[in-house]
């Protein structure tokens, strides 16, 4: 089953907490801006992506599907 990771870029403040939860899906670029590496990660990463959404201090991340 496929799931999607969505970021509300208008809300995201590049805190980077998601990077610690799911570094395979999120990273900070050299300027400290968040990058989404995979909009449809492997199902094995669902739990880590859900954790990333939970720890986001501004709740800018959603996991759907």
């Amino acid at each position: 089953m496929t799931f999607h990771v969505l970021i509300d870029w208008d809300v995201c403040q590049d805190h980077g907490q998601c990077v610690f939860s799911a570094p395979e899906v999120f990273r900070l670029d050299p300027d400290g801006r968040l990058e989404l590496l995979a909009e449809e990660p492997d199902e094995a990463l669902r739990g880590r992506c859900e954790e990333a959404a939970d720890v986001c201090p501004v709740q800018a991340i959603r996991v759907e599907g």
Side-chain angles (χ1 to χ4, degrees), residues 1 4 6 8 13-14 24 31 33 35 41 45 59 63-64:
M1 179 174 214
H4 301 276
L6 304 168
D8 185 337
Q13 296 179 4
D14 303 311
E24 305 87 349
D31 295 322
R33 302 287 308 185
E35 294 182 327
L45 296 173
Q59 298 297 288
V63 175
E64 295 184 348

Side-chain angles (χ1 to χ4, degrees), residues 12-59:
C12 179
Q13 296 179 4
D14 303 311
H15 290 285
Q17 296 303 307
C18 54
V19 176
F20 295 108
S21 297
E24 305 87 349
V25 180
F26 307 94
R27 76 172 171 202
L28 293 175
D29 72 12
D31 295 322
R33 302 287 308 185
L34 184 68
E35 294 182 327
L36 179 61
L37 302 176
E39 286 184 29
E40 294 181 9
D42 187 274
E43 182 66 31
L45 296 173
R46 179 186 290 268
R48 295 180 80 165
C49 290
E50 289 172 346
E51 178 183 326
D54 288 343
V55 300
C56 178
V58 294
Q59 298 297 288

